Amino acid sequence: MQNDNHQRLDYYAAAPAQAKALGVDAAVRGAVPGVVELRLVDTTDEAHVAVGAADGRALAAHGRQLQVYVEATSFRGVRPLQRHRRVMGALAPLIDSGVLHSVQIKCAAAP
């Protein structure tokens, strides 16, 4: 059973404009050459983020929680930690600004 506050939205199946509006798509594609697949799933728990913002654990009450999957040709021969750091580096300004509250990242090398 899904909690009403825990929304799951596959941006590319349901709302690609929202993903682009957040800047996640452009940030990842700009930092990672050869992206062949980029999936973003919004797992934001609105109540959790609001409580975190109220008590100082979150930068903003509107921050999104995302799962990000990136498959890229440029990841060939690159260690998993380095792949993760490349994507995290691309998203750092969105995290620092409070647009993103938390991010779970999975990366793979495209064949």
Side-chain angles (χ1 to χ4, degrees):
M1 182 188 311
Q2 192 171 356
N3 179 333
D4 289 333
N5 291 327
H6 195 75
Q7 171 188 8
R8 290 195 179 274
L9 174 66
D10 182 336
Y11 277 128
Y12 282 87
Q18 284 180 303
K20 289 185 179 181
L22 284 175
V24 174
D25 186 282
V28 172
R29 291 182 188 277
V32 180
V35 172
V36 296
E37 186 172 358
L38 175 59
R39 286 185 304 209
L40 306 170
V41 179
D42 186 335
T43 60
T44 303
D45 179 339
E46 303 284 347
H48 171 77
V49 176
V51 169
D55 68 16
R57 291 178 293 130
L59 294 175
H62 64 273
R64 310 310 297 169
Q65 296 169 309
L66 294 182
Q67 292 176 344
V68 179
Y69 173 80
V70 183
E71 185 175 330
T73 56
S74 65
F75 287 156
R76 291 182 198 141
V78 177
R79 292 179 174 262
L81 182 58
Q82 294 307 102
R83 296 172 186 174
H84 187 276
R85 285 179 175 163
R86 194 174 296 168
V87 174
M88 203 55 191
L91 299 178
L94 297 171
I95 295 168
D96 293 343
S97 70
V99 170
L100 297 180
H101 172 71
S102 66
V103 182
Q104 293 176 330
I105 299 170
K106 290 190 179 183
C107 301

